Amino acid sequence: TSVIPALLSVALVYHLGSLWFHRRWVGLGAAVFLATSGIFIYYARELRMYTLVVLVVLISWWALWRYLTGRQRWPWVYALTVIVMAYTYYFTAFVVAIQALVVLIYYREKLLKLLAAYALVALAVLPWIPMFLQQLEGEGVRAGQPGAIGKIAATDPTNLTTIGEFVHGYTAGQTAFVLLLVGLALLLGWNAGRTFRRKLMVTVLWLFGTMVLFFGINLVIPALALLVGTLAAHFTSLARLGLIGLIGAGGLLFHFDAFLPPKLAHGELLPMIAERYQPGDRIWYNLDDAALGSSLNLEARYYLEVVVPELHTDWFIWDAPREFANLTGNPRVWDARPYWIPMPPRAEAALRNGRSLVSEEVLRVYTLRLYEAVPQTDPAVIDAMLAVKASPLPRSEYRPGETVHITTWWQALQAPPLDYSYGITVRDANLEVLAGDDDGLRIDGRMTSQWTPGADFAPIPIRVTLPHNLPPGEYGVWLVVYFWQEPHPLPVTGGESGHDGKLLKLATIRLP
């Protein structure tokens, strides 16, 4: 729904450039510039209306031009496109204002019928006025300033900084190159004759007039493409090819510089939480700036309703320090936030009081952390030296190829003389090994010989991936501890053991 209007817009800007300036090279230059424009490509990848806006704005200029040049007696096709623009994006009103200004300056004899067309547009938009007023009021409230006119109170101020950011984004960071192209287009086009100059000025009004009225997203990209494309009208065939190749190569090389920061990763974060959620878990979903509570915007609520309905909004943190107090009822807390939203110190102190960070996964600029309290179960003892507990699994059923995550908790009862390792295995009822993994036992990077006897239990997350060809049935997840130079399992007391007390069963899983 975004790519198709984008592709049609590239074709239409080619047609419009060829129609206005009677030179196919102008259309080709405009099409190449638009097709490689970073901001345009970015919005062609988003499920939003901006490329549709580009398309209907181009159609409106095409319909208006047909009316102004006598190809149509009445501007009804133009009026229809303006109605579509009004119902697509309010800011297209600024383009309509520029179009009316063009008619007032250059085609006054056509103005009367155009006013009739605008009257038709007003009648068609009239049923939407109550919703428009409701949206204005709602946006003012959301901006924290009731009574403000829509989002105006919440937008960035118009200053040199925001203008610079706007130009940088729309030129994909190649400001000097694009300004050079625009400057040459204006200089050469001004001396190309009265008819060419008039059409050039219409394009300039579209480009700069719309920006002066408002920094509208994507409303001016086709105009910039047309203005750059007019350069091709002033060179020989070989130079035109070189110019268009330079425009295309520049766009392809640098278009990524116009891409906006990554969107909130609801589609990845929320399913990850749902997959490992356990009863009693709390979720601190802080992707905006509500530092002491979760921020569930419309996008997040969509995923909660449609993708992960098993996650209830009552399970989210809304009053951070107070809701961390119930360590027994809420031993685990998920914390999802971008890197630019810090955790308030008083909330962090309450969160870490009795809980430890057991896992951390980074998704682009967002990090998902799990804080967990030590399980209130009796530990198993490894060789009278190490005590170990295991947190319960979030579920008992798994599928072939899935990874089983287990949080183990360790404590040194006496100073371990060596640096021990663990082995994690999946075994059938006969204790035959079907999958496994091993690694060194480390707490905050310290091997077992550096552990302090009597210190609090500390977490060591371990995982094992199930084979893709594992048949249905019930399997055990078993733990062994050994010294790597003498790989003999250390004896286990307590818990469910096997192989003459050399294995410790951490969990039972089932494949349906």
Side-chain angles (χ1 to χ4, degrees):
T1 54
S2 293
V3 173
I4 292 174
L7 291 173
L8 293 176
S9 297
V10 172
L12 192 53
V13 82
Y14 166 80
H15 176 67
L16 198 60
S18 305
L19 176 68
W20 277 14
F21 297 95
H22 302 290
R23 292 171 173 85
R24 294 185 181 275
W25 285 102
V26 174
L28 182 60
V32 169
F33 186 92
L34 184 62
T36 59
S37 165
I39 197 78
F40 187 68
I41 295 172
Y42 174 82
Y43 282 111
R45 299 163 63 250
E46 280 209 335
L47 201 64
R48 301 178 77 179
M49 77 293 178
Y50 291 123
T51 55
L52 178 61
V53 169
V54 173
L55 180 62
V56 295
V57 165
L58 282 167
I59 294 173
S60 74
W61 278 105
W62 170 81
L64 179 63
W65 202 256
R66 286 179 62 86
Y67 166 64
L68 296 179
T69 54
R71 290 178 174 85
Q72 291 177 255
R73 184 177 177 183
W74 288 90
W76 302 134
V77 176
Y78 169 70
L80 180 61
T81 63
V82 173
I83 293 170
V84 174
M85 287 161 60
Y87 276 95
T88 304
Y89 191 39
Y90 293 140
F91 293 165
T92 53
F94 299 119
V95 172
V96 177
I98 295 302
Q99 291 171 337
L101 181 62
V102 166
V103 176
L104 183 63
I105 295 174
Y106 294 114
Y107 302 94
R108 292 176 187 167
E109 70 280 3
K110 302 281 188 176
L111 187 59
L112 190 60
K113 290 183 178 180
L114 189 70
L115 292 176
Y118 287 148
L120 177 63
V121 172
L123 286 174
V125 176
L126 192 61
W128 188 256
I129 297 300
M131 178 59 70
F132 173 67
L133 296 176
Q134 182 180 338
Q135 289 177 331
L136 285 180
E137 181 181 359
E139 290 296 342
V141 172
R142 288 181 61 188
Q145 301 184 44
I149 303 175
K151 291 185 177 181
I152 300 302
T155 54
D156 294 328
T158 301
N159 53 34
L160 291 178
T161 300
T162 53
I163 292 174
E165 291 173 352
F166 176 84
V167 174
H168 183 275
Y170 270 66
T171 60
Q174 305 305 301
T175 305
F177 175 63
V178 174
L179 288 180
L180 175 63
L181 294 177
V182 170
L184 286 174
L186 293 174
L187 179 64
L188 298 177
W190 192 258
N191 299 314
R194 182 173 178 271
T195 301
F196 193 97
R197 184 162 58 244
R198 171 181 287 192
K199 296 165 184 175
L200 184 72
M201 289 309 300
V202 170
T203 309
V204 169
L205 283 172
W206 177 4
L207 174 60
F208 293 104
T210 307
M211 286 194 291
V212 169
L213 289 174
F214 195 81
F215 285 166
I217 296 176
N218 263 341
L219 299 175
V220 297
I221 280 291
L224 180 59
L226 283 172
L227 188 57
V228 170
T230 62
L231 268 178
H234 309 294
F235 296 95
T236 62
S237 297
L238 187 60
R240 288 168 180 164
L241 284 174
L243 173 67
I244 292 174
L246 181 64
I247 292 171
L252 290 174
L253 288 173
F254 300 109
H255 73 275
F256 282 112
D257 293 335
F259 284 18
L260 301 179
K263 296 292 182 183
L264 302 182
H266 304 299
E268 298 169 271
L269 289 171
L270 288 170
M272 286 179 64
I273 296 173
E275 182 182 3
R276 297 168 59 187
Y277 182 88
Q278 294 182 10
D281 285 5
R282 301 302 303 277
I283 305 164
W284 198 6
Y285 203 67
N286 198 317
L287 300 186
D288 292 333
D289 55 1
L292 295 178
S294 299
S295 53
L296 300 182
N297 59 15
L298 292 176
E299 293 178 12
R301 292 186 182 277
Y302 165 80
Y303 281 97
L304 288 173
E305 293 174 4
V306 178
V307 180
V308 284
E310 61 269 31
L311 294 180
H312 197 280
T313 55
D314 289 344
W315 301 341
F316 285 76
I317 295 293
W318 300 108
D319 185 1
R322 184 182 63 80
E323 294 188 65
F324 294 149
N326 186 2
L327 192 64
T328 303
N330 309 124
R332 304 192 341 152
V333 175
W334 295 92
D335 174 35
R337 68 181 63 242
Y339 70 86
W340 61 85
I341 302 294
M343 189 183 299
R346 61 193 179 100
E348 183 174 12
L351 175 63
R352 289 181 176 272
N353 184 20
R355 298 184 185 88
S356 300
L357 178 64
V358 299
S359 70
E360 183 175 84
E361 299 186 57
V362 178
L363 297 170
R364 298 191 296 275
V365 298
Y366 309 100
T367 304
L368 178 63
R369 300 177 179 91
L370 174 60
Y371 295 87
E372 189 170 346
V374 182
Q376 301 301 308
T377 56
D378 294 330
V381 177
I382 310 293
D383 199 23
M385 180 173 45
L386 301 173
V388 59
K389 302 180 180 185
S391 296
L393 293 177
R395 51 195 167 94
S396 58
E397 286 193 359
Y398 286 82
R399 296 185 300 273
E402 278 195 283
T403 298
V404 181
H405 299 262
I406 301 180
T407 302
T408 57
W409 299 83
W410 297 80
Q411 182 188 53
L413 301 176
Q414 52 182 297
L418 301 171
D419 291 329
Y420 294 103
S421 301
Y422 73 86
I424 183 78
T425 55
V426 175
R427 300 171 184 251
D428 59 17
N430 299 319
L431 295 184
E432 292 293 328
V433 176
L434 305 174
D437 197 4
D438 61 351
D439 201 353
L441 285 170
R442 298 180 184 86
I443 296 176
D444 296 330
R446 295 177 292 111
M447 298 293 290
T448 53
S449 63
Q450 299 173 297
W451 291 5
T452 303
D456 293 337
F457 279 91
I460 298 180
I462 60 178
R463 63 182 67 185
V464 61
T465 300
L466 303 177
H468 288 278
N469 59 349
L470 195 62
E474 191 170 272
Y475 302 92
V477 181
W478 297 84
L479 176 79
V480 297
V481 177
Y482 62 93
F483 179 56
W484 66 276
Q485 288 183 332
E486 299 175 3
H488 303 296
L490 299 181
V492 179
T493 57
E496 185 177 347
S497 60
H499 264 331
D500 298 326
K502 301 297 178 67
L503 294 176
L504 175 64
K505 193 173 188 179
L506 299 181
T508 299
I509 62 173
R510 188 169 65 86
L511 273 69

